[in-house]
């Protein structure tokens, strides 16, 4: 729920300054809006506080509480004075924006504020100025608000996993024995690498010749099957698990489809029972929404996976990541009737399983995308399989998946999509044709040139400045003859230099390499000219620091050329300081003899009224020349750091 303008326009307390132990002040106000009483709680940071200062730039925050609606709104006052609305509890907000912990904070309440807060929370005593009770109230309010939103929209609740029947689907165990176990070709061998058990034929085996080795293939001495090898009790997944299997089940409401995922545990023999199944995840699908719950957690550490069973089902916000992946999925016999009146009623499940299996894609991820994105169904039915499968793999094109027709989803016209069969369209082709169609709509290319440009596989965006200056065919022919990279760099130089590319001589130079050399020189001149203008402005300001005494003088560097010449004469790197001086990051001065004012002597760098370095030929310091050092020190005293004259009163 968004806060009203009246609430957002409430004034904020001025900056709070107190002793170092006090972390913040708390102000509680009661306001009435639309016949509803609201409590506004403002936390103002004490900038002098030295406790818990891990947050470099703490912000003031404000909560708006409504007991009638059970609502908790958060407003953050940013450093630039702008306001942002969030939905976070006291603990999250204080830690993130103030760098404080609500359990051990040190607040000071403004008059009557703590009393108002205690009345709102209906408590008479608190160990920490109501902070813990206030956080608990907010946690409940936010959870209740989220639940109401989910109820209104039809989204899943955190405890909806329980609406899935616990009983296994009919025929599931028979399907495992018929479809999954025959594919389990593995020898589980014991230490010593000689004796083991073959799950292909279901018999004990003894290595003949070469011993069994972890992760390597061998031939079973009994049945002759080609099998993989795993050490009994080892870290290999196959040593403890046969596969990850899944099944579709309908929820008790009749509308929700659940995808249940299990580890099929490996026993001492080939036989399996219901006890061989360890449920690890559930996925709920319903009317445009998907949810995911896990019963097992996994951590990866040094190339090893550690799986831990959780105390209860936990809701996961990332529904697209299929836990551990699914190797086999059980499909109901009468899947058409099974899907009737559900979000998958138009899904041809057998065809989808076959297609995803051939492309090594995850069918569960496909079902989740089918439910969440209307474009998936339309593209799949129209035959644009590659676009859907690329999204499943996480490399999809920029397609509008929320659209409900192919043309709006792809952003391409009917005539363009008809150029190729649906199964040929993939991510790169979609993006290139979209870029070409954009140029056609802007009138830069003709309709007949669209396919030639899109299929050329040159970078359309890199040559954005030349489309419409000549025909696509002429541009492509020139690029093919002279090379894409050189021509692209030349065109970018021309655009930067404001050359008229409508001129054929500029657009298609006879000698591209020579023309490119000229544009490079012109760009360097332009860049140097802009730098010199900034340099001149700095020089004029530093000129007032010029100084003469005895037979020496000091003045600022006049130009980049002068810095380059100084560096060459004294064999040091002062030439590289031109940009820094133009940007006012440092100041370079030349110490000269009066009799030879243009001849290099000492080069000095000044920052903040302090000499950073002063060197002559081959980086020799002025510390070795007393005359120069005394002169520089006098210059610092009398010119650079000249004391202000105080006028007598």
């Amino acid at each position: 729920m968004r806060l009203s303008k009246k609430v957002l326009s409430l004034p904020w307390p001025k900056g709070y300054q107190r002793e170092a132990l006090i972390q913040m002040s708390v102000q509680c106000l009661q306001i009435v809006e639309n016949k509803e009483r609201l409590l506004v709680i403002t936390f103002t940071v004490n900038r002098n506080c030295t406790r818990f200062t891990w947050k470099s730039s703490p912000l003031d925050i404000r909560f708006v509480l409504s007991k009638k609606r059970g609502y908790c709104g958060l407003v953050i006052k940013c450093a630039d004075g702008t306001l942002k609305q969030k939905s976070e509890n006291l603990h999250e907000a204080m830690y993130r924006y103030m760098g404080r912990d609500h359990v051990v904070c040190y607040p000071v309440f403004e008059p009557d504020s703590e009393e108002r807060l205690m009345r709102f929370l209906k408590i008479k005593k608190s160990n920490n100025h109501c902070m813990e009770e206030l956080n608990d109230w907010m946690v409940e309010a936010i959870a209740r608000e989220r639940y109401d939103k989910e109820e209104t929209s039809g989204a899943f609740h955190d405890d909806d996993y329980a609406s899935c029947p616990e009983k296994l689907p009919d025929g599931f165990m028979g399907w495992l024995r018929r479809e999954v176990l025959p594919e389990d070709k593995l020898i589980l061998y014991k230490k010593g690498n000689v004796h083991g058990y073959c799950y292909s034929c279901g018999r004990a085996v003894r290595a003949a010749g070469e011993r069994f080795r972890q992760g390597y293939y061998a031939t079973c001495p009994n049945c002759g099957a080609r099998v993989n090898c795993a050490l009994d009790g080892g870290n290999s997944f196959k040593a403890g698990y046969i596969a990850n299997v899944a099944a579709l089940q309908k929820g008790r409401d009749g509308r929700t489809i659940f995808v249940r995922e299990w580890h099929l545990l490996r026993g001492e023999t080939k036989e399996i029972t219901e006890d061989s199944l360890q449920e690890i995840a559930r996925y709920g699908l319903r009317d445009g929404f998907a949810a995911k719950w896990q019963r097992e957690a996994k951590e990866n550490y040094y190339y090893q996976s550690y799986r831990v069973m959780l105390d209860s089902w936990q809701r996961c916000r990332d529904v697209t990541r299929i836990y551990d992946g699914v190797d086999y999925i059980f499909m109901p016999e009468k899947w058409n009737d099974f899907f009737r009146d559900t979000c998958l009623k138009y899904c041809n499940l057998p065809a989808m399983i076959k297609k995803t299996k051939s492309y090594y894609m995850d069918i569960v991820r496909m079902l989740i995308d089918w439910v969440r994105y209307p474009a998936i169904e339309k593209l799949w039915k129209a035959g644009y399989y590659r676009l859907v499968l690329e999204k499943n793999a996480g490399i999809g094109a920029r397609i509008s998946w929320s659209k409900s027709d192919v043309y709006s989803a792809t952003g391409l016209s009917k005539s363009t999509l008809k150029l190729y069969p649906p199964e040929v369209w993939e991510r790169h082709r979609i993006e290139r044709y979209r870029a070409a169609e954009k140029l056609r709509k802007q009138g830069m290319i003709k309709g007949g040139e669209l396919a030639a440009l899109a299929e050329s596989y040159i970078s359309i965006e890199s040559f954005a400045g030349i489309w419409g200056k000549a025909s696509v065919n002429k541009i492509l022919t020139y690029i093919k003859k002279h090379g894409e990279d050189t021509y692209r760099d030349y065109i970018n130089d021309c655009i930067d230099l404001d050359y008229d590319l409508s001129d054929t001589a500029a657009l298609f130079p006879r000698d591209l390499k020579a023309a490119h050399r000229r544009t490079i020189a012109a760009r360097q001149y332009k860049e140097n000219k802009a730098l010199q203008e900034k340099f001149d402005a700095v020089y004029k300001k530093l000129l007032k620091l010029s100084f003469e005494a005895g037979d020496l003088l000091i003045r600022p560097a006049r130009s980049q050329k002068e810095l380059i010449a100084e560096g060459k004469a004294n064999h040091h790197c002062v030439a590289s300081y031109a940009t820094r001086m133009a940007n006012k990051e440092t100041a370079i001065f030349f110490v000269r003899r009066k009799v030879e004012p243009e001849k290099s002597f000492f080069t000095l760098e000044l920052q903040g009224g302090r000499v950073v370095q002063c060197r002559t030929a081959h980086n020799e310091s002025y510390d070795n020349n007393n005359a120069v050092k005394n002169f520089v020190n006098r210059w610092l005293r009398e010119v650079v750091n000249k004391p202000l004259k105080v006028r007598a009163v």
Side-chain angles (χ1 to χ4, degrees):
M1 186 180 296
R2 305 294 292 178
L3 296 174
S4 66
K5 291 182 179 179
K6 177 182 177 181
V7 174
L8 292 175
S9 62
L10 288 173
W12 287 70
K14 294 182 179 179
Y16 184 66
Q17 303 285 343
R18 284 287 297 273
E19 57 269 22
L21 290 179
I22 303 301
Q23 294 188 8
M24 69 198 74
S25 72
V26 183
Q27 179 194 68
C28 297
L29 298 175
Q30 284 186 335
I31 65 170
V32 177
E33 184 184 41
N34 298 327
K35 299 180 180 180
E36 180 184 4
R37 186 171 293 176
L38 303 176
L39 184 67
V40 180
I41 310 173
T42 305
F43 293 82
T44 308
V45 179
N46 177 16
R47 309 292 171 182
N48 291 335
C49 180
T50 57
R51 300 179 65 93
F52 301 102
T53 54
W54 63 81
K55 185 75 175 174
S56 58
S57 301
L59 302 175
D60 297 340
I61 60 176
R62 167 177 285 168
F63 290 96
V64 181
L65 310 184
S66 166
K67 185 173 289 187
K68 181 180 178 181
R69 290 175 288 174
Y71 171 70
C72 166
L74 167 65
V75 183
I76 303 133
K77 187 177 183 183
C78 303
D80 58 0
T82 58
L83 304 179
K84 288 186 179 180
Q85 295 187 54
K86 297 281 185 178
S87 179
E88 295 178 6
N89 57 49
L90 181 64
H91 168 72
E92 293 171 339
M94 288 184 67
Y95 196 88
R96 184 173 302 178
Y97 306 110
M98 304 181 76
R100 308 288 190 263
D101 189 328
H102 79 284
V103 177
V104 291
C105 63
Y106 292 83
V108 168
F109 280 78
E110 294 192 5
D112 301 328
S113 288
E114 188 168 6
E115 188 177 330
R116 290 192 189 101
L117 181 56
M118 293 179 75
R119 283 201 305 268
F120 181 88
L121 298 173
K122 293 183 178 180
I123 59 175
K124 295 182 179 179
K125 187 178 180 182
S126 172
N127 293 328
N128 186 29
H129 302 285
C130 311
M131 293 294 101
E132 295 179 55
E133 292 85 354
L134 177 60
N135 182 67
D136 293 341
W137 191 94
M138 290 180 181
V139 169
E140 290 180 11
I142 292 171
R144 189 162 50 247
E145 183 187 8
R146 193 180 75 205
Y147 187 92
D148 292 342
K149 284 183 179 178
E150 291 170 347
E151 191 71 28
T152 304
S153 64
F156 285 93
H157 300 308
D158 290 348
D159 56 357
D160 275 355
Y161 70 89
S163 66
C164 176
E166 296 295 330
K167 184 182 176 182
L168 295 178
D170 294 336
F172 182 62
M173 292 302 298
W175 171 80
L176 288 176
R177 296 185 180 99
R178 188 174 59 253
E179 300 291 338
V180 180
L181 290 187
E183 300 297 322
D184 183 27
K185 300 184 182 300
L186 180 109
I187 285 180
L188 191 66
Y189 65 89
K190 300 184 181 298
K191 287 185 178 180
N193 302 57
V194 175
H195 297 282
Y197 182 87
C198 176
Y199 285 86
S200 179
C201 60
R203 296 166 61 187
V205 295
R206 188 178 189 281
E210 189 175 354
R211 296 187 173 194
F212 303 128
R213 297 167 62 193
Q214 177 92 307
Y216 284 78
Y217 282 91
T219 301
C220 174
N222 293 337
C223 62
R226 188 72 173 162
V227 293
N228 203 348
C229 301
L231 175 64
D232 190 6
N235 291 323
S236 171
F237 176 84
K238 285 291 185 181
Y241 308 94
I242 297 173
N244 291 329
V245 296
L248 298 173
Q249 276 187 278
K250 193 173 287 188
R252 294 188 180 92
D253 60 0
R255 296 188 305 116
T256 305
I257 296 293
F258 283 97
V259 182
R260 299 176 66 186
E261 183 180 358
W262 295 270
H263 287 317
L264 182 56
L265 304 179
R266 189 177 297 286
E268 294 182 359
T269 66
K270 189 176 180 179
E271 295 302 316
I272 60 169
T273 64
E274 289 191 14
D275 292 335
S276 303
L277 290 168
Q278 182 184 68
E279 192 169 5
I280 55 175
R282 285 182 187 177
Y283 307 86
L285 311 175
R286 182 175 65 214
D287 301 333
F289 296 98
K292 172 187 172 185
W293 296 269
Q294 281 184 204
R295 192 69 175 83
E296 180 186 79
K298 181 176 68 171
E299 292 184 1
N300 296 319
Y301 185 73
Y302 282 103
Y303 303 101
Q304 295 182 11
S305 294
Y306 297 90
R307 296 173 172 82
V308 180
M309 292 303 294
L310 304 172
D311 294 333
S312 60
W313 286 97
Q314 288 189 4
R315 176 85 177 267
C316 304
R317 297 301 168 187
D318 182 7
V319 298
T320 58
R321 184 172 296 177
I322 308 307
Y323 181 74
D324 250 11
V326 172
D327 303 311
Y328 303 90
I329 187 165
F330 173 69
M331 180 181 65
E333 260 186 64
K334 298 180 180 179
W335 57 273
N336 275 321
D337 294 337
F338 182 80
F339 286 157
R340 188 173 288 119
D341 299 327
T342 71
C343 53
L344 296 175
K345 56 187 174 184
Y346 300 120
C347 176
N348 188 337
L349 187 61
M352 185 177 286
I353 291 175
K354 184 178 179 181
K355 187 70 72 174
T356 52
K357 202 169 185 180
S358 63
Y359 281 91
Y360 301 100
M361 300 299 173
D362 201 302
I363 182 62
V364 179
R365 169 72 187 273
M366 284 289 295
L367 293 173
I368 290 172
D369 286 346
W370 183 285
V371 171
R372 297 171 75 203
Y373 305 112
I376 295 286
E377 179 186 331
K378 302 300 180 183
L379 290 167
W380 187 269
K381 287 183 175 179
Y384 295 90
Y385 305 118
R386 293 186 69 176
L387 295 177
V388 178
L389 294 169
E390 282 177 338
K391 176 173 176 53
N392 185 273
I395 56 172
R398 292 189 295 272
I399 284 177
S400 302
W401 299 104
S402 60
K403 302 295 183 181
S404 56
D405 66 276
V406 172
Y407 311 110
S408 300
T410 58
L412 298 177
S413 64
K414 293 182 181 180
S415 58
T416 300
L417 285 174
K418 287 181 180 179
L419 291 173
Y420 299 98
E423 62 271 13
V424 174
W425 287 99
E426 42 82 32
R427 175 171 59 113
H428 294 297
R429 179 167 274 141
I430 284 282
E431 291 174 353
R432 290 190 61 79
Y433 271 89
R434 191 181 289 162
E437 273 206 351
K438 186 177 180 181
L439 293 176
R440 181 183 60 79
K441 290 177 181 177
Q442 293 172 349
M444 295 184 179
I445 65 172
K446 297 178 181 178
E449 299 176 320
L450 188 143
L453 176 59
E455 295 296 333
S456 66
Y457 284 93
I458 67 164
S459 177
I460 298 175
E461 292 79 8
S462 297
F463 294 97
I466 65 173
W467 305 120
K469 307 294 185 184
S471 69
V472 169
N473 183 54
K474 193 170 183 179
I475 292 172
L476 295 180
T477 302
Y478 188 87
I479 291 174
K480 185 177 180 181
K481 181 178 179 181
H482 294 88
E484 180 180 349
D485 293 341
T486 304
Y487 190 55
R488 180 186 60 243
D489 294 342
Y490 166 75
I491 290 297
N492 289 336
D493 288 348
C494 290
I495 293 172
D496 187 61
L497 294 167
D498 297 322
Y499 285 2
D500 183 12
L501 291 175
S502 300
D503 184 1
T504 306
L507 186 60
F508 302 120
R510 291 184 179 180
D511 189 341
L512 178 60
K513 291 184 178 179
H516 189 208
R517 286 195 295 270
R518 290 193 294 270
T519 58
I520 290 173
R523 279 195 67 173
Q524 288 176 345
Y525 173 78
K526 181 181 177 181
E527 290 169 1
N528 291 339
K529 185 179 179 182
L531 185 65
Q532 186 58 49
E533 288 175 356
K534 293 171 69 177
F535 201 103
D536 289 343
V538 172
Y539 168 72
K540 289 176 182 178
K541 289 185 177 181
L542 295 177
L543 200 58
K544 62 184 179 182
L545 298 181
S546 299
F547 178 67
E548 296 183 11
D551 60 345
L552 296 175
L553 63 87
I554 187 169
R555 63 170 178 81
R558 296 191 190 101
S559 64
Q560 302 170 72
K561 282 186 177 181
E562 204 171 38
L563 284 178
I564 294 171
E566 185 82 357
K568 285 183 178 179
N570 285 344
H571 305 286
H572 52 48
C573 61
V574 73
S576 63
Y577 285 63
T579 303
R580 292 184 60 199
M581 185 166 172
N583 293 330
K584 302 179 183 179
E585 296 172 10
T586 192
I588 304 298
F589 289 83
F590 296 152
V591 178
R592 299 282 197 254
R593 296 185 180 92
K594 286 184 180 179
V595 293
E596 298 174 315
E598 299 303 321
K599 185 178 179 180
S600 298
F601 187 33
F602 274 84
T603 312
L604 181 145
E605 181 183 4
L606 183 73
Q607 281 186 22
R610 183 177 62 88
V611 175
V612 177
Q613 54 183 330
C614 182
R615 302 182 183 278
T616 186
H618 303 288
N619 276 324
E620 183 180 347
S621 174
Y622 75 146
D623 291 329
N624 301 325
N625 190 317
N626 289 330
V628 173
K629 189 168 185 177
N630 292 335
F631 169 75
V632 169
N633 289 337
R634 182 180 174 187
W635 171 66
L636 289 173
R637 287 193 311 271
E638 299 181 10
V639 179
V640 178
N641 300 317
K642 185 178 180 181
L644 295 173
K645 292 183 179 179
V646 180
R647 184 178 175 183
V649 179

